[in-house]
Amino acid sequence: MANAAVETPSRMSRWLTLAASLRHPKTGYVLLFGFASGLPYALLLGTLYAWLTDAQVDVETMGVFSLIGLAYAFKFLWSPALDRVDVPLLRRLGKRKQWIVTAQLLLGGILVLLSALDPLSSLGVFSLLAGIGAFASATQDVVIDAWRVDVADEVATIDILSTVFQMGYRVAALVGGALALFMAERMGWPTVFASMGAILLFVGFLGLFAPDAERSAAALESERANLGTLRAAGQIAPRIRAYALGAVALLWGWALVTVLDFMIRSLAATPETRPDSTEFVSQIGPLIVIATVVIPGLIAGWLEAMRKQGRFVLAEAAPASGAFDVALDHGYRALILPLAEIIGRLKWAAVLVIALVLSYRITDAIWGSFAYPFYLGELQYTKDEVAIASKFFGVGALIVGLALGGTLLTVIGRMTTLTLGAVIAALTNLLYADLAVGGARMQLASDLIGFTWLVEQFGADERMGRLMLAIGAENIAVGIAGAAFVAYLSSVVAKGYSAVQYALLSSLTMLVGTLGRPALGQMIEERGYYDVFLLTTAIGAFAVVLCVVEWVRQVRSGRPENAPPPEPELV
């Protein structure tokens, strides 16, 4: 009884925290920004191809358009600038809002301009605008993720803000996908893109009134003092910092030039001479990650270790004496300090965090590319059946999963929900394994819970019921896991360095899945889908083990379960 008496107020307080978070004005703006983040992605990397198809643009040219997706894959390359550079005349809007509003207004204008063009006769201008739109959209994603981390507090918790953001994002995917196709059939593509552009322009206007990050006294002091403390006694000597910054700047510069060069060569080439984008991602992609994440991380860790050991440090303060010194300090603060901060704070646990980031979403990241071949080719469902089950019922189930995940984050805690999400996301692969061999168990489950009877009332058959049940269960699991994972990532990064740190971690999320797809495709050809789903379930089990290890680490660290993102430590 005593335990119950102690536990009840705690549980009640968590429910009250959930209710307060949902009523907070920040939550509404997060929903709005989530929608603004998801809409251009759905339009530029999905719906746009339907318009190009209707305009009779050839498939080879549409393949070039897919290259604009590289802006999202490598958005972390310009994230340091978004953390430190101000938009002229707009700094008064706030550190994050100046970029958010600028990106939204630019995107809205680009969509309106696209609506006035003919994709076939104005293909050059059309592709240029689409490419600029993709970079603006990826930039918006980086800054909104950082804004969400920075504005989180004890009332508008990072867990709820992350969940609500994803809900807005998923709704935007439905609006920019299914609704856009529905509108195009009746009103034409120019009307669709003009309408979507007007929506983003309106969101940009509303964004002017959103709160920006209210920096705590510690964060403000860190912002003011970092440049000065870099030259205080006991800090790494400027000469060593210059060597480290030069190495990291060269690596990041090489990566950025490599991506831009590949995109320019691809857009300018004929179909016969066009470089292979799949080969680029699989071969050059890992090198870019090594150059921009692994090596700089090792350099930052080495510098932090040297500082703590008192090696290569200043014996006395050495104030900046010229423009070069100031430029060195600013560059070091933008590129090195975000990595040094997270490595210095996490220490050996940084390896665990990166391993968890790489593996947590691998099951759905790998399998997602083969979903339609499985539904349409292996199981022989029609396109209409897959659209109903995946795009409408599936999206609804995903939103339910996100809502459930947000609730669980508040009620049972972040690491409990993260581990639960990893377990159920892995197990839902077994549902597809059963479908691959006939679906007898899925049919039995559908009959027992009354789902077969329910879908029959809407004119569907039991075969459709099996597919809807599998997709629905998977999307609920993915929703719970997604809500927990984004909240976890947001809790790992530090306020003030959130743009760079979150962009790096989120870019790593899909790395293994992207690189593993060719091997998985070969396995499907040789072994069939059943064995593949057993393999992805086993891979998911590895993520579960890492979740448990990270859970134990956090408990031992004494950090509260649902603590907000940490303030940056002075380095």
Side-chain angles (χ1 to χ4, degrees):
M1 291 296 293
N3 289 338
V6 171
E7 195 173 319
T8 302
S10 176
R11 187 175 296 135
M12 178 62 71
S13 67
R14 290 184 174 186
W15 282 106
L16 291 174
T17 299
L18 174 61
S21 294
L22 293 175
R23 292 195 306 267
H24 200 286
K26 291 178 184 176
T27 306
Y29 281 107
V30 167
L31 182 66
L32 187 71
F33 287 167
F35 182 87
S37 184
L39 188 60
Y41 186 89
L43 291 171
L44 296 174
L45 266 68
T47 309
L48 182 66
Y49 298 100
W51 186 4
L52 296 176
T53 301
D54 286 350
Q56 298 183 336
V57 175
D58 64 90
V59 176
E60 285 283 352
T61 302
M62 282 194 280
V64 174
F65 267 82
S66 68
L67 294 174
I68 67 177
L70 291 175
Y72 295 92
F74 299 110
K75 60 188 178 184
F76 63 88
L77 290 175
W78 59 92
S79 60
L82 303 177
D83 238 351
R84 301 300 169 197
V85 177
D86 293 330
V87 180
L89 306 179
L90 296 180
R91 178 64 183 92
R92 62 185 302 174
L93 290 178
K95 180 179 179 181
R96 307 301 186 191
K97 270 176 54 181
Q98 59 178 328
W99 284 105
I100 294 173
V101 172
T102 300
Q104 289 169 350
L105 294 178
L106 178 60
L107 280 165
I110 285 174
L111 293 178
V112 172
L113 287 174
L114 287 175
S115 72
L117 297 175
D118 175 18
L120 195 57
S121 62
S122 305
L123 190 59
V125 177
F126 197 89
S127 61
L128 176 63
L129 287 173
I132 295 172
F135 275 100
S137 177
T139 298
Q140 177 189 218
D141 290 352
V142 171
V143 186
I144 287 177
D145 285 332
W147 175 84
R148 175 169 44 81
V149 172
D150 289 351
V151 301
D153 54 33
E154 291 77 9
V155 179
T157 65
I158 190 59
D159 296 339
I160 294 301
L161 295 184
S162 299
T163 303
V164 171
F165 171 82
Q166 289 185 82
M167 286 183 175
Y169 194 96
R170 299 299 179 178
V171 171
L174 191 60
V175 171
L179 180 60
L181 292 172
F182 180 83
M183 291 173 61
E185 190 69 26
R186 289 153 180 81
M187 295 180 285
W189 287 111
T191 302
V192 170
F193 274 74
S195 301
M196 299 299 172
I199 290 173
L200 279 175
L201 289 172
F202 182 63
V203 171
F205 171 74
L206 293 179
L208 292 170
F209 305 99
D212 204 7
E214 296 175 3
R215 312 310 304 280
S216 68
L220 287 171
E221 179 62 24
S222 175
E223 290 282 345
R224 288 192 296 266
N226 263 337
L227 285 181
T229 56
L230 286 176
R231 293 181 172 273
Q235 294 294 324
I236 294 293
R239 179 173 57 86
I240 303 300
R241 288 196 291 110
Y243 291 150
L245 178 61
V248 173
L250 283 174
L251 291 169
W252 279 63
W254 167 82
L256 188 57
V257 169
T258 299
V259 172
L260 291 175
D261 174 68
F262 176 76
M263 294 184 70
I264 292 170
R265 286 190 295 112
S266 299
L267 290 169
T270 62
E272 296 77 21
T273 61
R274 187 170 295 147
D276 189 336
S277 59
T278 302
E279 182 178 304
F280 177 84
V281 172
S282 62
Q283 296 183 8
I284 305 300
L287 295 180
I288 289 176
V289 172
I290 291 171
T292 56
V293 180
V294 178
I295 296 177
L298 292 174
I299 291 174
W302 178 80
L303 289 172
E304 180 66 7
M306 293 300 99
R307 185 182 70 84
K308 290 183 176 179
Q309 293 173 17
R311 299 174 60 189
F312 305 113
V313 298
L314 291 169
E316 59 183 25
S321 59
F324 177 80
D325 286 352
V326 174
L328 169 64
D329 292 347
H330 279 288
Y332 188 84
R333 182 182 181 185
L335 276 179
I336 306 292
L337 282 189
L339 294 171
E341 192 281 333
I342 196 169
I343 291 172
R345 174 164 44 87
L346 295 176
K347 300 178 176 62
W348 67 268
V351 176
L352 173 60
V353 170
I354 291 174
L356 182 56
V357 167
L358 288 171
S359 63
Y360 190 83
R361 301 301 301 273
I362 190 172
T363 51
D364 52 290
I366 288 184
W367 140 246
S369 297
F370 303 100
Y372 286 118
F374 178 64
Y375 300 146
L376 299 172
E378 181 76 7
L379 301 183
Q380 295 294 304
Y381 285 95
T382 67
K383 293 183 180 68
D384 286 345
E385 288 173 331
V386 173
I388 292 170
S390 178
K391 295 300 183 185
F392 290 98
F393 182 76
V395 170
L398 184 61
I399 292 175
V400 169
L402 288 170
L404 185 56
T407 304
L408 291 173
L409 282 167
T410 303
V411 176
I412 66 176
R414 186 181 297 140
M415 292 309 301
T416 309
T417 308
L418 187 74
T419 306
L420 173 64
V423 171
I424 59 179
L427 291 179
T428 52
N429 284 267
L430 297 178
L431 305 182
Y432 289 107
D434 184 63
L435 288 181
V437 292
R441 295 179 182 84
M442 287 299 300
Q443 187 60 57
L444 177 61
S446 182
D447 293 341
L448 286 175
I449 66 175
F451 192 76
T452 303
W453 174 86
L454 180 62
V455 297
E456 287 175 346
Q457 306 311 302
F458 293 92
D461 57 14
E462 62 180 24
R463 183 170 168 273
M464 185 67 170
R466 293 198 299 269
L467 179 65
M468 292 176 70
L469 184 59
I471 289 177
E474 184 208 20
N475 282 9
I476 289 174
V478 167
I480 294 172
F485 186 62
V486 172
Y488 170 73
L489 281 186
S490 302
S491 72
V492 169
V493 302
K495 293 184 177 184
Y497 296 128
S498 49
V500 178
Q501 292 178 354
Y502 193 96
L504 281 171
L505 291 176
S506 61
S507 295
L508 292 175
T509 301
M510 297 299 173
L511 175 64
V512 175
T514 301
L515 300 180
R517 284 170 195 157
L520 199 70
Q522 182 178 352
M523 183 178 177
I524 290 172
E525 290 291 331
E526 296 175 355
R527 304 284 297 273
Y529 280 96
Y530 179 78
D531 286 347
V532 165
F533 287 124
L534 294 184
L535 174 64
T536 54
T537 302
I539 293 172
F542 178 67
V544 173
V545 172
L546 290 177
C547 284
V548 173
V549 176
E550 171 66 356
W551 192 354
V552 171
R553 182 193 74 83
Q554 290 203 11
V555 169
R556 289 183 173 178
S557 72
R559 191 163 181 248
E561 171 79 0
N562 284 27
E567 299 288 354
E569 297 178 1
L570 290 175
V571 289

